[in-house]
Coordinates of all heavy atoms in Angstrom, one line a residue:
A1 N -42.4 -15.5 10.6 CA -41.5 -16.2 11.6 C -40.5 -15.1 12.1 O -40.3 -15.0 13.4 CB -40.7 -17.3 10.9
V2 N -39.9 -14.3 11.2 CA -38.9 -13.3 11.7 C -39.6 -12.2 12.6 O -39.2 -11.9 13.6 CB -38.2 -12.6 10.6 CG1 -37.3 -11.4 11.0 CG2 -37.3 -13.7 9.9
A3 N -40.8 -11.8 12.1 CA -41.6 -10.8 12.9 C -41.9 -11.3 14.3 O -41.8 -10.7 15.4 CB -42.8 -10.4 12.2
A4 N -42.4 -12.7 14.4 CA -42.8 -13.2 15.7 C -41.5 -13.3 16.6 O -41.6 -13.0 17.8 CB -43.3 -14.6 15.5
A5 N -40.3 -13.6 16.0 CA -39.2 -13.7 16.8 C -38.7 -12.3 17.5 O -38.2 -12.3 18.5 CB -37.9 -14.4 16.0
R6 N -38.9 -11.3 16.6 CA -38.6 -10.0 17.1 C -39.5 -9.2 17.8 O -39.2 -8.1 18.3 CB -38.1 -9.2 15.8 CG -36.8 -9.7 15.1 CD -36.6 -9.0 13.8 NE -35.2 -9.3 13.3 CZ -34.8 -9.0 12.1 NH1 -35.7 -8.4 11.3 NH2 -33.6 -9.3 11.7
T7 N -40.8 -9.6 17.9 CA -41.9 -8.9 18.6 C -41.9 -9.3 20.1 O -41.9 -10.5 20.4 CB -43.1 -9.1 17.8 OG1 -43.0 -8.6 16.5 CG2 -44.3 -8.3 18.5
D8 N -42.1 -8.2 20.9 CA -42.3 -8.6 22.3 C -43.6 -9.4 22.6 O -44.6 -9.0 22.1 CB -42.2 -7.3 23.2 CG -40.8 -6.7 23.2 OD1 -39.9 -7.5 23.2 OD2 -40.8 -5.4 23.3
P9 N -43.4 -10.5 23.4 CA -42.2 -11.0 24.0 C -41.4 -11.9 23.0 O -42.0 -12.6 22.2 CB -42.7 -11.9 25.1 CG -44.1 -12.3 24.8 CD -44.6 -11.2 23.9
K10 N -40.2 -11.5 22.8 CA -39.4 -12.1 21.7 C -39.2 -13.5 22.0 O -39.4 -14.1 23.2 CB -37.9 -11.3 21.7 CG -38.1 -9.9 21.4 CD -36.7 -9.3 21.3 CE -36.7 -7.7 20.9 NZ -37.1 -7.0 22.2
G11 N -38.6 -14.3 21.1 CA -38.3 -15.6 21.3 C -38.0 -16.4 20.0 O -37.8 -15.8 19.0
P12 N -37.8 -17.7 20.0 CA -37.5 -18.3 18.8 C -38.7 -18.7 17.9 O -39.9 -18.7 18.4 CB -36.9 -19.7 19.4 CG -37.7 -19.9 20.7 CD -37.9 -18.5 21.2
A13 N -38.5 -18.7 16.6 CA -39.5 -19.1 15.6 C -38.9 -20.3 14.9 O -37.6 -20.4 14.6 CB -39.8 -18.0 14.7
V14 N -39.7 -21.3 14.4 CA -39.2 -22.4 13.7 C -39.9 -22.6 12.3 O -41.1 -22.4 12.3 CB -39.5 -23.8 14.6 CG1 -39.3 -25.0 13.8 CG2 -38.5 -23.7 15.8
L15 N -39.1 -22.9 11.4 CA -39.7 -23.3 10.1 C -39.3 -24.8 9.7 O -38.0 -25.0 9.7 CB -39.2 -22.4 9.0 CG -39.8 -20.9 9.0 CD1 -39.2 -20.1 7.8 CD2 -41.2 -20.9 8.9
L16 N -40.2 -25.5 9.6 CA -39.9 -27.1 9.1 C -39.9 -27.1 7.8 O -40.8 -26.7 7.0 CB -41.0 -27.9 9.8 CG -41.1 -27.8 11.3 CD1 -42.4 -28.5 11.7 CD2 -39.9 -28.3 12.0
L17 N -38.8 -27.6 7.2 CA -38.5 -27.6 5.7 C -38.3 -29.0 5.2 O -37.1 -29.5 5.3 CB -37.2 -26.8 5.5 CG -37.2 -25.3 5.9 CD1 -35.9 -24.8 6.0 CD2 -38.3 -24.5 5.2
P18 N -39.3 -29.6 4.6 CA -39.1 -30.9 4.0 C -38.0 -30.8 2.8 O -38.0 -29.7 2.2 CB -40.5 -31.3 3.4 CG -41.5 -30.5 4.3 CD -40.7 -29.2 4.6
K19 N -37.3 -31.8 2.6 CA -36.2 -31.9 1.7 C -36.6 -31.5 0.3 O -36.1 -30.7 -0.4 CB -35.4 -33.1 1.8 CG -34.2 -33.1 0.8 CD -33.4 -34.4 0.9 CE -32.2 -34.4 -0.1 NZ -31.2 -33.4 0.2
D20 N -37.8 -32.1 -0.2 CA -38.2 -31.8 -1.6 C -38.7 -30.4 -1.9 O -38.6 -29.8 -2.8 CB -39.3 -32.9 -2.0 CG -40.3 -33.0 -1.0 OD1 -40.2 -32.8 0.1 OD2 -41.5 -33.0 -1.6
V21 N -39.3 -29.9 -0.7 CA -39.7 -28.5 -0.7 C -38.5 -27.6 -0.7 O -38.6 -26.5 -1.4 CB -40.7 -28.1 0.4 CG1 -41.1 -26.7 0.4 CG2 -41.9 -29.1 0.4
Q22 N -37.4 -27.8 -0.1 CA -36.2 -27.0 -0.1 C -35.7 -26.9 -1.5 O -35.1 -25.9 -1.9 CB -35.1 -27.7 0.7 CG -35.4 -27.7 2.2 CD -34.3 -28.3 3.0 OE1 -33.1 -28.1 2.8 NE2 -34.6 -29.2 3.9
Q23 N -35.8 -27.9 -2.3 CA -35.4 -28.0 -3.6 C -36.3 -27.5 -4.7 O -36.0 -27.2 -5.9 CB -35.0 -29.5 -4.1 CG -33.9 -30.1 -3.1 CD -33.9 -31.6 -3.4 OE1 -34.8 -32.3 -3.8 NE2 -32.7 -32.2 -3.0
A24 N -37.5 -27.2 -4.3 CA -38.6 -26.7 -5.2 C -38.2 -25.3 -5.7 O -37.7 -24.5 -4.9 CB -39.9 -26.8 -4.5
P25 N -38.7 -25.0 -6.8 CA -38.5 -23.6 -7.4 C -39.4 -22.6 -6.8 O -40.5 -22.8 -6.4 CB -38.8 -23.8 -8.9 CG -39.8 -24.9 -9.0 CD -39.4 -25.8 -8.0
V26 N -38.8 -21.4 -6.6 CA -39.5 -20.2 -6.0 C -39.3 -19.0 -7.0 O -38.2 -18.9 -7.4 CB -39.0 -19.9 -4.6 CG1 -39.7 -18.6 -4.1 CG2 -39.4 -21.2 -3.6
E27 N -40.3 -18.4 -7.3 CA -40.0 -17.2 -8.1 C -39.4 -16.1 -7.3 O -39.8 -15.7 -6.2 CB -41.4 -16.6 -8.5 CG -41.3 -15.4 -9.6 CD -42.7 -14.9 -10.0 OE1 -43.6 -15.7 -9.8 OE2 -42.7 -13.8 -10.5
L28 N -38.2 -15.6 -7.8 CA -37.5 -14.6 -7.2 C -38.2 -13.2 -7.3 O -38.3 -12.7 -8.4 CB -36.0 -14.6 -7.8 CG -35.0 -13.8 -6.9 CD1 -34.9 -14.5 -5.6 CD2 -33.7 -13.9 -7.8
R29 N -38.6 -12.8 -6.2 CA -39.5 -11.5 -6.3 C -39.3 -10.9 -4.9 O -38.8 -11.5 -3.9 CB -40.9 -11.7 -6.6 CG -41.6 -12.7 -5.7 CD -43.1 -12.9 -6.1 NE -43.7 -14.1 -5.4 CZ -44.4 -13.9 -4.3 NH1 -44.3 -12.7 -3.6 NH2 -44.9 -15.1 -3.7
E30 N -39.8 -9.6 -4.8 CA -39.7 -9.1 -3.5 C -40.5 -9.8 -2.5 O -41.7 -10.2 -2.8 CB -40.3 -7.6 -3.6 CG -39.3 -6.6 -4.2 CD -38.1 -6.6 -3.7 OE1 -38.0 -6.4 -2.4 OE2 -37.0 -6.7 -4.2
P31 N -40.0 -10.1 -1.3 CA -40.7 -10.9 -0.3 C -41.9 -10.2 0.3 O -42.0 -8.9 0.3 CB -39.7 -11.2 0.7 CG -38.8 -10.1 0.6 CD -38.8 -9.7 -0.8
L32 N -42.9 -10.9 0.7 CA -44.0 -10.3 1.4 C -43.5 -9.9 2.8 O -43.0 -10.8 3.6 CB -45.2 -11.2 1.6 CG -45.8 -11.7 0.3 CD1 -46.8 -12.8 0.5 CD2 -46.6 -10.5 -0.4
R33 N -43.5 -8.7 3.2 CA -43.1 -8.1 4.4 C -44.3 -8.1 5.3 O -45.3 -7.6 5.0 CB -42.4 -6.8 4.3 CG -41.2 -6.8 3.4 CD -40.1 -7.6 3.9 NE -39.0 -7.5 2.9 CZ -37.8 -8.1 3.1 NH1 -37.7 -9.0 4.1 NH2 -36.8 -8.0 2.2
A34 N -44.0 -8.6 6.6 CA -45.0 -8.5 7.6 C -45.2 -7.0 7.9 O -44.2 -6.2 7.9 CB -44.7 -9.2 8.8
A35 N -46.5 -6.5 8.1 CA -46.7 -5.2 8.4 C -46.0 -4.8 9.8 O -46.1 -5.6 10.7 CB -48.2 -5.0 8.5
P36 N -45.3 -3.7 9.8 CA -44.6 -3.2 10.9 C -45.7 -3.1 12.2 O -46.8 -2.6 11.8 CB -43.9 -2.0 10.6 CG -44.5 -1.5 9.4 CD -45.1 -2.7 8.6
P37 N -45.4 -3.3 13.3 CA -46.3 -3.0 14.4 C -46.7 -1.6 14.5 O -45.6 -0.8 14.3 CB -45.6 -3.6 15.6 CG -44.1 -3.6 15.3 CD -44.1 -3.9 13.8
V38 N -47.9 -1.2 14.8 CA -48.2 0.2 15.0 C -47.7 0.7 16.3 O -48.1 0.0 17.3 CB -49.8 0.2 14.9 CG1 -50.2 1.8 15.1 CG2 -50.2 -0.2 13.5
R39 N -46.8 1.7 16.3 CA -46.2 2.2 17.5 C -47.1 3.2 18.0 O -47.5 4.3 17.4 CB -44.8 2.7 17.2 CG -43.8 1.8 16.8 CD -42.6 2.4 16.6 NE -42.0 3.0 17.8 CZ -41.2 2.1 18.7 NH1 -41.0 1.0 18.4 NH2 -40.7 2.8 19.8
T40 N -47.6 3.1 19.2 CA -48.3 4.0 20.0 C -47.7 4.5 21.2 O -46.9 3.8 21.7 CB -49.8 3.4 20.4 OG1 -49.4 2.2 21.2 CG2 -50.5 2.8 19.2
E41 N -47.9 5.7 21.6 CA -47.4 6.3 22.6 C -47.7 5.5 23.9 O -49.0 5.3 24.2 CB -47.7 7.7 22.9 CG -47.1 8.5 24.0 CD -45.7 8.9 23.7 OE1 -45.2 8.6 22.6 OE2 -45.0 9.6 24.4
P42 N -46.8 5.0 24.8 CA -47.1 4.3 25.9 C -47.9 5.1 26.9 O -47.8 6.2 27.0 CB -45.8 3.8 26.4 CG -44.8 3.9 25.4 CD -45.3 5.1 24.6
R43 N -48.8 4.5 27.5 CA -49.6 5.1 28.5 C -49.1 4.8 30.0 O -49.0 3.7 30.3 CB -51.1 4.7 28.5 CG -52.0 5.3 29.6 CD -53.4 5.0 29.3 NE -54.2 5.5 30.5 CZ -54.4 4.8 31.6 NH1 -53.9 3.7 31.7 NH2 -55.2 5.3 32.6
V44 N -48.6 5.8 30.6 CA -48.2 5.5 32.0 C -49.3 6.2 32.9 O -49.3 7.4 33.0 CB -46.9 6.3 32.2 CG1 -46.3 6.1 33.7 CG2 -45.7 5.6 31.3
P45 N -50.0 5.3 33.5 CA -51.2 5.9 34.3 C -50.7 6.7 35.4 O -49.7 6.5 36.0 CB -51.9 4.6 34.8 CG -50.8 3.5 34.7 CD -49.9 3.9 33.6
D46 N -51.6 7.6 35.9 CA -51.4 8.5 37.0 C -51.0 7.8 38.2 O -50.2 8.2 39.1 CB -52.5 9.4 37.2 CG -52.7 10.5 36.0 OD1 -51.8 10.7 35.3 OD2 -53.8 11.0 36.0

């Protein structure tokens, strides 16, 4: 969600959170990070 919001074209992302899922246990660990976009040199045509 965060990667989509920050990637061009930028914009809003939504996570729908049922109440019981909000209360459910989650193992505290390093989060899965979305792979950073591969930066390539822009091509400006002749």
Side-chain angles (χ1 to χ4, degrees):
V2 171
R6 289 174 168 167
T7 301
D8 288 326
K10 301 180 180 74
V14 168
L15 291 178
L16 301 170
L17 303 167
K19 183 175 178 66
D20 56 322
V21 178
Q22 294 179 48
Q23 299 168 337
V26 175
E27 184 179 343
L28 198 59
R29 55 184 171 84
E30 288 300 311
L32 297 174
R33 302 291 181 185
V38 177
R39 295 182 66 88
T40 58
E41 186 77 359
R43 179 178 173 272
V44 178
D46 291 342

